[in-house]
Amino acid sequence: MTIQIRKLDSSAIDFKATLDALLAFEASTDDAIETAVAKILADVKARGNAAVLEYTNRFDRLPNGGAASVDTLDLPQAELQAALDVLPASQRAALQVAADRIRVFHERQKQELQGFTYTEPDGTVLGQRITPLDRVGIYVPGGKAAYPSSVLMNAIPAQVAGVGEIIMVVPTPDGVKNQMVLAAAALAGVTRVITIGGAQAVGALAYGTETIAAVDKIVGPGNAYVAAAKRRVFGTVGIDMIAGPSEILIVCDGTTDPDWVAMDLFSQAEHDELAQAILLCPDADYIAQVEASIAKLLPQMPRQEVIRTSLNDRGALVKVRDMDEACAIANGIAAEHLEISAAEPQQWADKIRHAGAMFLGRYSSESLGDYCCGPNHVLPTSRTARFSSPLGVYDFQKRSSIIYVSEAGAQTLGKVAAELAYGEGLQAHARSAELRIKD
Amino acid sequence: MTIQIRKLDSSAIDFKATLDALLAFEASTDDAIETAVAKILADVKARGNAAVLEYTNRFDRLPNGGAASVDTLDLPQAELQAALDVLPASQRAALQVAADRIRVFHERQKQELQGFTYTEPDGTVLGQRITPLDRVGIYVPGGKAAYPSSVLMNAIPAQVAGVGEIIMVVPTPDGVKNQMVLAAAALAGVTRVITIGGAQAVGALAYGTETIAAVDKIVGPGNAYVAAAKRRVFGTVGIDMIAGPSEILIVCDGTTDPDWVAMDLFSQAEHDELAQAILLCPDADYIAQVEASIAKLLPQMPRQEVIRTSLNDRGALVKVRDMDEACAIANGIAAEHLEISAAEPQQWADKIRHAGAMFLGRYSSESLGDYCCGPNHVLPTSRTARFSSPLGVYDFQKRSSIIYVSEAGAQTLGKVAAELAYGEGLQAHARSAELRIKD
């Protein structure tokens, strides 16, 4: 199969329709998965560890006839530290730099949200208090999609928020543990690691079992079973967004080395056949250069099959009228990752209203952000950047309103509340306010 | 039917199990509703205004044979202002005070979230930008549950956030408009009011029609059809939490007038037969006084049937060992509304980790907070205060990460990213970082 990424022109009469069709992604719901997940969750809720053990032994094909009890599936902290200690020095150093930088950025996020109170002249005090969640679960996929960077990005914000217990679940198919994932858990302050996965792990975290305390929120990526399970337990616990395929949108003024832009498109496309990589550029000649770079560089890539399918099926090189139009189109796309690969990028960044993360200037490749710049790599996909945010410390905190009404305050506020309560036909509300009013 | 609110003692051996059973609330999903809503949403998505018009004329029984087009269902701003102008002066003044106070509190929330950037020694800039949503939909129920206070509480935070378009939908069963609701919309900065409701209104807001632009988020309470529709469009648009029955938990040291506490319990119970009102107190004699107040005051209440059912079915008066235990139990309940009706309430507030809103001191009745203190009355129910927050300005804003990597920064960060990317088997990520490194 040859690489044949589609080329679009924003001045074409059918451009908007073509682009909309390209962007459209409907997460399919699979009835078989839904039914299986509902059964597993109900079973874990009813039978606890016994169910978790059975599903784990069955689905993860654990060696030696499987685990004898859920207790044996816990990994001691010493094993996490040992995994860190035996990593090659360069890997360990890189993981440490990434963890440190992620922590610095998220500490800054925490500083921003301190809560507040203010006192009114009559002594009434109003405010908002910020507290961390008590206990969270972090789902980490096993097997080939096991990413240590994802452990850092999910666990460190929870740790910075002050979450007391960070429980990581990670399946070990065929008993194989990913040492770099365990090392990342050691660095990220994970307090407990249990080698379970799938819907059974989500159920154990949401409902609790004899030996696993129920958590308040579950975050982290997973396969279709995990996603379906998270959707179903939402409400009993909090969840993060269910991620769609990853996306990059590059707005380029034509001054970046075309090889760099081609490789940035690849770095998104290599994730997944469904990943989406799009370039917007006002310079047709430059687009041709990027196309040539793609053709030249693709054969060198170990994951070229995935990249080719992704670019052919969902990618695009779009000739736009000018950079202003590129920014307008970018706002409509509301991409997860937006690179503004341009000289003087800030002028264009100022026109962007919707993006999960903005990478400004030609040195800011998305891959740097994926690993070690500091901001989170868990970002809103599928146009949800219109209304949602990167994963952050705030996802592991919640607010409570503080209302202290003074005796004097109750006199004035009581009359207002009673008036409105009678207007709504809620007389007990009105009387409750009026009882505090002195005659 | 007599009032017979259950009395519990925290020292009873089965207390925890009894309390857990009392708190348990499983939102039932009704297959008939799910099927009907799925059909309506698909129909609105496919046929737009034609479908919206048909469902509206059918379900809302509009007079004169129904509306001729969706355009005629828009209410002009002048009609909202007229509704405000003709309100009785005392009601209009009360609504204005409430709106002003809600705005002041939410402005304070907005101040807290300003975003940030910081520059590293090598010139790399990292940060977080806060932007408002472009367009939101606010669902307001019609008929008997039409609450002007709810319009203020949902629309004002959106306005303070800087949302450009605030589109309110409100059904008008039998063509009846609630003037106080329209007046509240005028005060709250709603930019457009459309008299449609139900799943068809949710679908119109989520998908857009020929004359209704798709919104980015839908908030506001509704019946089971509206809740099911919101759940289904989640992902296409943002939604607020789906609220469960309202709850009040009163922790009282026995020094508040028992009539006040009884009326505060009523003010929650009068909402709904499923509402939950619970008192925790270490003083058995005081509990008996509250019980007597309940018996004395109940016959005076217009909504006594609802109150009686709610208190009998889901209420409780709980004797606890001491105030410390009361706080521990309160953390387990994570109530939507928590009154600490006590002398020196702050000492107990300091022990509370989970509550939607805390009302401190005996003058701070929940009803004051429902209408006019300033903090939002849309609060997390059903124990979700463990992980979620009151509705606020932050629900109408989102964050974008800002990453500008300098040329020097790309040299050091590139090596770290490449090391980790190779470790994860993502070679295009690694190459993308390495291309920016000078030899």
Side-chain angles (χ1 to χ4, degrees), chain A residues 26, chain B residues 39-48 51-52 203-204 206-209 236:
Chain A
E26 198 82 41
Chain B
K39 179 176 177 304
I40 294 169
L41 289 177
D43 206 16
V44 170
K45 192 175 186 179
R47 297 197 299 125
V52 172
Y207 306 128
T209 72
T236 301

Side-chain angles (χ1 to χ4, degrees), chain A residues 112 115 129 236 352 386 429, chain B residues 112 115 129 236 270 352 355 386:
Chain A
E112 189 176 36
R129 199 170 73 175
T236 300
I352 299 297
R386 290 174 297 131
H429 282 68
Chain B
E112 188 176 37
R129 199 170 72 176
T236 301
E270 77 174 337
I352 298 297
R386 291 174 296 130

Side-chain angles (χ1 to χ4, degrees), chain B residues 116 152 243 325 367 410:
Chain B
F116 59 83
L152 300 183
E325 188 189 41
S367 61

Side-chain angles (χ1 to χ4, degrees), chain B residues 255-377:
Chain B
T255 65
T256 305
D257 185 327
D259 281 0
W260 296 13
V261 168
M263 195 59 76
D264 292 358
L265 295 170
F266 289 180
S267 75
Q268 200 56 40
E270 77 174 337
H271 272 297
D272 182 351
E273 284 87 351
L274 290 172
Q276 185 155 59
I278 296 176
L279 169 66
L280 306 181
C281 177
D283 181 340
D285 289 344
Y286 181 80
I287 290 176
Q289 292 174 44
V290 172
E291 204 178 10
S293 291
I294 289 173
K296 175 186 73 181
L297 295 170
L298 185 59
Q300 308 171 12
M301 305 313 302
R303 297 171 69 86
Q304 59 179 285
E305 288 307 322
V306 175
I307 295 171
R308 191 178 288 114
T309 304
S310 160
L311 291 182
N312 281 351
D313 291 355
R314 301 205 72 219
L317 307 176
V318 184
K319 160 79 173 66
V320 293
R321 290 182 180 84
D322 52 33
M323 289 290 280
D324 278 312
E325 188 189 41
C327 291
I329 294 171
N331 279 323
I333 294 176
E336 182 189 14
H337 305 98
L338 172 66
E339 280 188 13
I340 301 184
S341 199
E344 313 270 0
Q346 191 61 49
Q347 60 182 319
W348 312 121
D350 291 342
K351 295 178 191 286
I352 298 297
R353 294 195 314 283
H354 310 299
M358 285 188 269
F359 297 80
L360 308 182
R362 64 180 68 103
Y363 284 96
S364 306
S365 72
E366 186 213 307
S367 61
L368 299 179
D370 284 344
Y371 290 106
C372 60
C373 286
N376 212 287
H377 78 191

